[in-house]
Amino acid sequence: MKGVNKVAVIGAGVMGAGIAAQIANAGVSVLLFDRPPENSGDKEERNQIAKNAIGKLIKSNPAALMSKQNANRITPMNTEDDLELLADCDWVIEAIIEDVGIKQALYKKIDKFRKKGAVVSSNTSTLCREQLVADLPESFRRDFLITHFFNPPRYMRLLELVSDPEVSEEQCKRIERFCDHSLGKGVVHCKDTPGFLANRIGIFWLQCAVVEAMKQNISIEVADAVIGRPFGIPKTGVFALLDMVGLDLMPHVLSSMSESLPPEDPFHGIYQEPELIKTLIADGYTGRKGKGGFYRLKPDSVEKIKEAINLKTGEYAKAERPAVAIVKKAGRKNPRKVLEDDSLVGRYAWSVMSKTLAYAASLVPDVSDDIEAVDEAMRLGYNWKYGPFELLDQIGVEWFCAKLRSEKTDIPTVLKSIGKGKFYRKSKGFREVFGHEGQYLKRSPNAGVLKLDDIKARSKAVMRNPSASLWNLDDDVLCLEFHSKMNSLNLWTLSMMDRAREKIENSEYKALVVYNDGTNFSVGANIGLMSVAARLWAYPFIDYMVRRGQEIYKALKFAPFPVVSAPSGLALGGACELLLHSDAVQAHAETYTGLVEVGVGIIPGWGGCKEMMCRWSLAPDVPRGPMPAVSKVFELIGLAQVAKSAEEARDMKIIRASDGITMNRDRVLADAKERALEMVSGYRPPTAIDLTLPGESGKVALDLAVEGFRKSGKATPHDVVVSSALSTILSGGDTDMTGKITEDKLLELERKAFHTLCRHPDTIERVHHMLKTGKPLRN
C-alpha cells in the first residue's frame, strides 16, 4: 500500500493551519497554501498569509506544535503561484470557506497539478461529498474523500472519514492508516449525510440545551453543572463549550443543518435563533476569541472576576459555583438519579438528555449502522466520557423507554429492538455490542491495538490490591496497572511494583509493562498522605515511604528483565521518576511529564534527582565538565518544568532518544508490549555508574543565583530553602577532591533532604494549599 510522504493543506485559517501543524508533528513535510494578499509584490509578500499562520502556530497556547522545531516542516505557499508543487504531494487537504462553488473552482485547479493517484479531501463539516463532487471528472471523484478534523486538530482525536463506492478501498485505507498511525486519530467511517455523525448529535444537544435553559429559566451556571459531571461530559458543560467554539459559528452551522436535514428530522423542532445570541454576536461577544460570550471577565476590573449572563435579561453578574444537590448525589456514575429527580434541575436535565439520546438512537441505521462508531464519535469529538449508547446502558434502556412512553414520545426502533437488554455486554470472555439488526456482535479492536479492557473481559488479575493490579498480556509479559484516585502512587502501588518484580523473577514471565487506561498515567505520589503524616509529626512514616520508594525503584531499574513504562497524559513527580528508572519508555505523544515536587516545597525523593543527573552527565550533546549538567538539571527541577509533549520530554532527557513515541492513544499498550518483547532476548540490566560532581564550589554558584532571584522578589524565602537542598544533592554534597560520587550516595542525599524539608512549616502549608486548591502556592 502506498504511504503518505508529503501533504498539502490549502487554507491557512485556524483549521487548515492546525491540520498542517499535526501533520508536521507526525514528522511529515507539509505545504501550507493560502491566497496572496491584495497588491502583494515579491514572493515573500505573496506567501505572507500562510507565513503569518505558521508564526501563530509557534506562539499558540495551547500549543499546536509538539515541538516548535516542527514548524520547520511547514512551508508557506500561495494558490496563484505555487499550485504546480502539488505534483510532489500524496494527499491534498482543502480547508477553505464552506461554499460549494468556491470549493469546486479550487478542485478544478488542484486537478490540473496533482500527481496521478494523489488523494484530495475536504475538511468540510457541513457539506456532503455528493454536493462537492457534482459535475467533476470521474478521475477526480475516485480519489476524493471527506476528512473532517475536529478543532484543535492536535488535541481532538476524532477524524470523520466519508468515502463512496467509486473510491477504491486502497485509497481509503491509505488515508485511514496515515490518520490512525501517524496523526493519532480515531477514524470513524461516516455515511454521506448532513453533519456526518458527531456534529449531527452534538449540535442537536447544544441547541437543545440552550433552548430549554431559556424556556425553563435555568441559569447558565446551573445548566453547565447539571449537563456535565453526572453524564461524563466535560465541566465546560454547554455554555462554556459554546464560548470556546465561538458563538458566531453557531448561526451558520444551525442554518446549514436546517437547510440540509429532511423535514421530518427532530432537529427542526428545536431549531431557533434566539435574539439574545444575535445581540451578543453583534456586540462582539463571540466567545473566548471576542470580548466574552455567555461568560466573560468583568470589564475594567483589576481582578479577574468571571461573570455570567442572565438568559432572560441579558445582564451580566458575578458567576456562581452552584451546589446542585442532585448533581452531588448522582456523582459520576449514576446519571439516572438526575433524570429521575422531579426538581426544576432534574426536569431540565431530562428535557435535554432524553431528546439528545433519543435523537442519537434515531440515527441508527440511516446515518450510521454502527452503534460503537456513534459512541466513539461523541467520545473523541466532544470529549464525552461515555457515548450515547453507553449512557443509555447506565441509565437503563427499559426505564428510559418507559419514561418516553409515559410522555407519548416516539421510541426509536433500535431502542424497541433491545428491549430489556444492554447495548454492550460481556459474553464468554469477549465484549459484544448490539447490532442494529438485532444480534450481538463481537467487538474486535483494529490490528495492532491491544486494550486492557479486552484483557480484563477474558481473564482475572494475576494479583490485585486497592491501588494496583497485575494482568497477563500473554507472550510472558505482565502489565502493571494503577487504579487509585487519579492513579496517585502510595504504599499499595509500591507494594504491587515489588510483587510484580518478585513474580517475574520467580516465574516464566519475561518482562513488565507499566500502563493504564486512565486519562492520566499518574499524578505522582499521594501528597495527602505526606500532609497528614507531617501534621501528626509522623516523620518515621515519611522516611519509611521515601526509603521504600527508593528501594523499589532501584530494584526495578536493576531487575533481570526489561521494564517498559507506557505513559499518557500526566506523569508527574513520582510517576516521572518511574519513567526515569524504566529500561525503556513507549510514550503517547500527548504525555506531560516532569519533576514538579518543588511546587509543594519539597524535592524528588525516589531517585529523580539522581536519575536526571545520570541522564544529563552522560548525554553526548551536553558540554563536558562538572557544571553544565548540574546547572541544567537544577533549572529543570528547580523550576518544576513540565514537558508539554513526549517530544519535549525527549528534549528534557526524561525520555531517551531511543525511546518510542506513539501518536495514537489506542496503540500505546501494543507498542509497549512489542518493545518489551524486543528487549527480552539477551537482556542485561544496566550497571550503576559513578558521577563527577563539583561539590561545595558548585553549590555556592547555584545558591548565589537563587539569592539573586530572592533579592529581586522572584523567589520566596522558602524557595531559597528548597533550592539549597536541591543544590546540595546535585552538586554532590561533601564530595572528596576527586568529585566522584556513587548513585547510592546521591540517593542518600535525596532522602535526607526530603526528610528535612518535610519538617519545615512552609512545606506543610504548601502541601495543604495544593490539596485544597489544586494549585501551587506562589508566594
Side-chain angles (χ1 to χ4, degrees):
M1 182 184 295
K2 293 179 182 177
V4 175
N5 301 309
K6 193 169 187 178
V7 179
V9 177
I10 303 180
V14 172
M15 278 305 299
I19 293 167
Q22 185 64 358
I23 293 166
N25 289 334
V28 174
S29 296
V30 54
L31 307 180
L32 180 60
F33 289 80
D34 211 298
R35 68 190 186 281
E38 290 184 17
N39 303 317
S40 52
D42 60 23
K43 185 70 171 72
E44 190 168 333
E45 281 186 5
R46 291 175 68 76
N47 292 343
Q48 197 61 47
I49 293 177
K51 190 175 180 180
N52 289 345
I54 296 169
K56 289 178 182 177
L57 290 176
I58 294 170
K59 297 175 184 176
S60 64
N61 185 22
L65 296 163
M66 292 178 180
S67 168
K68 289 183 179 180
Q69 288 148 353
N70 292 346
N72 296 329
R73 298 194 182 107
I74 309 174
T75 306
M77 297 281 166
N78 76 77
T79 50
E80 288 188 9
D81 304 329
D82 303 318
L83 285 180
E84 68 271 12
L85 296 175
L86 296 179
D88 294 330
C89 298
D90 303 299
W91 181 17
V92 180
I93 303 169
E94 167 268 304
I96 65 171
I97 189 170
E98 295 286 80
D99 183 290
V100 174
I102 295 174
K103 286 179 186 287
Q104 287 188 334
L106 175 61
Y107 298 156
K108 289 172 184 175
K109 292 180 182 178
I110 291 171
D111 203 25
K112 288 180 183 178
F113 297 107
R114 72 183 180 107
K115 70 179 175 183
K116 185 178 180 182
V119 175
V120 181
S121 71
S122 175
N123 182 56
T124 183
S125 60
T126 57
L127 300 171
C128 293
R129 181 184 181 279
E130 185 179 4
Q131 295 172 270
L132 294 176
V133 297
D135 302 323
L136 288 169
E138 182 185 348
S139 58
F140 181 85
R141 293 200 308 267
R142 62 173 176 249
D143 292 328
F144 186 84
L145 301 166
I146 286 175
T147 50
H148 179 215
F149 291 79
F150 276 65
N151 192 32
R154 172 180 167 182
Y155 300 99
M156 299 304 294
R157 290 185 56 209
L158 179 62
L159 183 128
E160 293 179 319
L161 180 62
V162 180
S163 186
D164 188 89
E166 66 182 341
V167 180
S168 73
E169 186 177 352
E170 182 183 356
Q171 287 287 62
C172 192
K173 286 195 174 297
R174 177 187 184 189
I175 297 303
E176 179 180 2
R177 178 177 175 79
F178 180 76
C179 292
D180 175 346
H181 290 259
S182 299
L183 302 185
K185 298 301 175 186
V187 179
V188 172
H189 290 264
C190 299
K191 295 183 179 181
D192 195 20
T193 55
F196 311 127
L197 204 44
N199 278 347
R200 180 77 173 266
I201 299 167
I203 290 166
F204 181 97
W205 164 66
L206 291 169
Q207 175 71 359
C208 187
V210 171
V211 169
E212 290 293 338
M214 289 179 167
K215 188 163 87 175
Q216 298 182 40
N217 198 25
I218 300 287
S219 75
I220 66 172
E221 302 103 301
V222 169
D224 283 345
V226 71
I227 307 295
R229 178 180 174 182
F231 299 96
I233 290 168
K235 62 182 180 181
T236 49
V238 173
F239 291 94
L241 176 59
L242 285 168
D243 278 353
M244 191 163 61
V245 171
L247 269 62
D248 53 330
L249 293 179
M250 288 306 292
H252 301 293
V253 175
L254 291 169
S255 63
S256 176
M257 294 286 280
S258 178
E259 290 169 11
S260 56
L261 291 173
E264 66 276 9
D265 194 282
F267 175 82
H268 298 293
I270 61 165
Y271 174 55
Q272 56 180 267
E273 295 184 37
E275 288 300 320
L276 174 63
I277 295 178
K278 291 179 182 178
T279 301
L280 285 172
I281 295 169
D283 292 343
Y285 284 91
T286 55
R288 291 188 186 180
K289 63 186 177 183
K291 297 190 290 185
F294 292 110
Y295 294 97
R296 73 175 185 184
L297 291 177
K298 187 175 181 179
D300 305 320
S301 174
V302 178
E303 295 180 53
K304 287 187 176 181
I305 299 173
K306 187 178 180 181
E307 295 185 319
I309 200 167
N310 183 306
L311 295 175
K312 197 170 184 180
T313 66
E315 300 292 325
Y316 284 96
K318 185 177 179 181
E320 303 294 332
R321 287 190 177 180
V324 184
I326 190 60
V327 169
K328 188 174 181 180
K329 186 186 276 189
R332 298 180 187 274
K333 295 184 178 179
N334 198 346
R336 183 160 151 184
K337 270 194 182 301
V338 178
L339 300 179
E340 287 176 324
D341 189 55
D342 196 34
S343 66
L344 180 63
V345 170
R347 291 194 295 273
Y348 171 70
W350 169 257
S351 68
V352 175
M353 295 309 295
S354 66
K355 289 183 178 70
T356 301
L357 297 178
Y359 186 64
S362 74
L363 302 180
V364 177
D366 294 337
V367 172
S368 176
D369 51 19
D370 186 344
I371 283 167
E372 198 169 5
V374 175
D375 283 342
E376 182 90 335
M378 293 308 294
R379 285 197 305 269
L380 301 184
Y382 278 78
N383 278 334
W384 287 17
K385 187 173 183 179
Y386 312 105
F389 295 99
E390 291 170 315
L391 274 173
L392 283 164
D393 276 354
Q394 289 187 35
I395 293 164
V397 180
E398 186 180 16
W399 177 88
F400 184 78
C401 290
K403 193 163 172 64
L404 289 181
R405 202 173 288 114
S406 71
E407 296 178 342
K408 295 183 170 47
T409 301
D410 289 339
I411 298 172
T413 303
V414 72
L415 297 184
K416 292 177 184 175
S417 301
I418 202 166
K420 297 181 180 181
K422 287 190 167 189
F423 287 103
Y424 296 92
R425 72 180 188 185
K426 291 179 182 177
S427 176
K428 299 178 181 178
F430 292 98
R431 296 185 300 154
E432 295 182 335
V433 60
F434 186 73
H436 70 94
E437 293 179 348
Q439 75 285 6
Y440 281 90
L441 308 170
K442 181 179 171 183
R443 298 174 69 188
S444 300
N446 294 331
V449 172
L450 178 62
K451 295 199 172 183
L452 208 50
D453 273 353
D454 290 327
I455 303 293
K456 293 177 181 180
R458 64 174 184 261
S459 63
K460 292 183 178 179
V462 176
M463 295 180 187
R464 185 179 181 87
N465 69 30
S467 295
S469 298
L470 275 182
W471 299 94
N472 183 358
L473 298 182
D474 297 328
D475 300 314
D476 300 324
V477 178
L478 280 180
C479 177
L480 171 62
E481 175 200 22
F482 307 144
H483 45 69
S484 55
K485 185 177 181 181
M486 299 180 75
N487 293 331
S488 60
L489 307 177
N490 53 40
L491 287 175
W492 284 113
T493 322
L494 293 174
S495 172
M496 189 57 71
M497 290 181 195
D498 205 32
R499 292 177 70 190
R501 178 188 58 78
E502 291 176 348
K503 180 72 175 175
I504 297 174
E505 286 182 358
N506 298 289
S507 69
E508 297 300 314
Y509 292 110
K510 297 174 181 175
L512 178 67
V513 170
V514 186
Y515 168 88
N516 63 74
D517 281 332
T519 303
N520 297 310
F521 180 72
S522 170
V523 295
N526 187 336
I527 60 171
L529 291 174
M530 191 188 80
S531 175
V532 172
R535 286 175 180 275
L536 295 175
W537 294 5
Y539 298 114
F541 171 79
I542 294 174
D543 192 52
Y544 170 76
M545 191 164 177
V546 174
R547 286 177 182 273
R548 185 76 173 136
Q550 288 189 349
E551 289 166 359
I552 289 170
Y553 278 27
K554 179 182 174 182
L556 282 177
K557 177 179 178 177
F558 296 110
F561 57 84
V563 176
V564 178
S565 285
S568 179
L570 297 177
L572 303 177
C576 179
E577 291 177 290
L578 178 58
L579 304 187
L580 289 165
H581 284 81
S582 301
D583 292 293
V585 173
Q586 187 68 40
H588 180 225
E590 299 296 348
T591 295
Y592 316 117
T593 185
L595 298 169
V596 297
E597 287 84 351
V598 297
V600 289
I602 53 176
I603 45 91
W606 286 344
C609 298
K610 176 258 298 182
E611 286 299 313
M612 284 294 277
M613 281 307 310
C614 290
R615 294 281 175 94
W616 280 86
S617 295
L618 298 177
D621 59 339
V622 176
R624 297 300 90 194
M627 281 306 290
V630 170
S631 299
K632 187 62 183 179
V633 175
F634 185 75
E635 176 189 334
L636 292 173
I637 298 176
L639 296 178
Q641 289 189 14
V642 175
K644 301 295 177 61
S645 69
E647 275 195 65
E648 286 190 8
R650 184 173 276 165
D651 293 339
M652 292 167 64
K653 304 194 190 311
I654 295 170
I655 293 177
R656 305 173 187 86
S658 58
D659 287 332
I661 297 176
T662 301
M663 291 294 282
N664 193 320
R665 176 70 174 81
D666 291 340
R667 297 184 177 277
V668 173
L669 180 56
D671 289 351
K673 178 186 172 184
E674 183 180 350
R675 183 68 190 278
L677 288 171
E678 288 171 354
M679 298 176 70
V680 166
S681 179
Y683 175 78
R684 291 183 181 179
T687 55
I689 64 169
D690 291 344
L691 296 172
T692 301
L693 298 177
E696 185 63 29
S697 62
K699 174 176 170 54
V700 170
L702 295 174
D703 289 347
L704 279 173
V706 174
E707 180 62 19
F709 284 122
R710 185 194 68 77
K711 287 180 177 177
S712 65
K714 295 178 181 177
T716 68
H718 191 56
D719 290 332
V720 176
V721 172
V722 177
S723 297
S724 177
L726 181 60
S727 65
T728 298
I729 299 165
L730 300 183
S731 63
D734 187 17
T735 60
D736 61 26
M737 61 184 295
T738 67
K740 293 286 186 183
I741 188 168
T742 64
E743 290 188 34
D744 283 345
K745 178 65 175 175
L746 271 180
L747 275 179
E748 184 183 337
L749 289 174
E750 275 191 44
R751 186 168 63 249
K752 287 180 178 178
F754 192 97
H755 191 75
T756 300
L757 287 172
C758 283
R759 290 173 176 267
H760 200 290
D762 285 351
T763 297
I764 298 171
E765 182 187 355
R766 286 193 180 202
V767 171
H768 180 68
H769 180 84
M770 173 67 86
L771 289 170
K772 185 177 180 181
T773 67
K775 298 177 181 178
L777 188 63
R778 296 297 180 190
N779 48 47

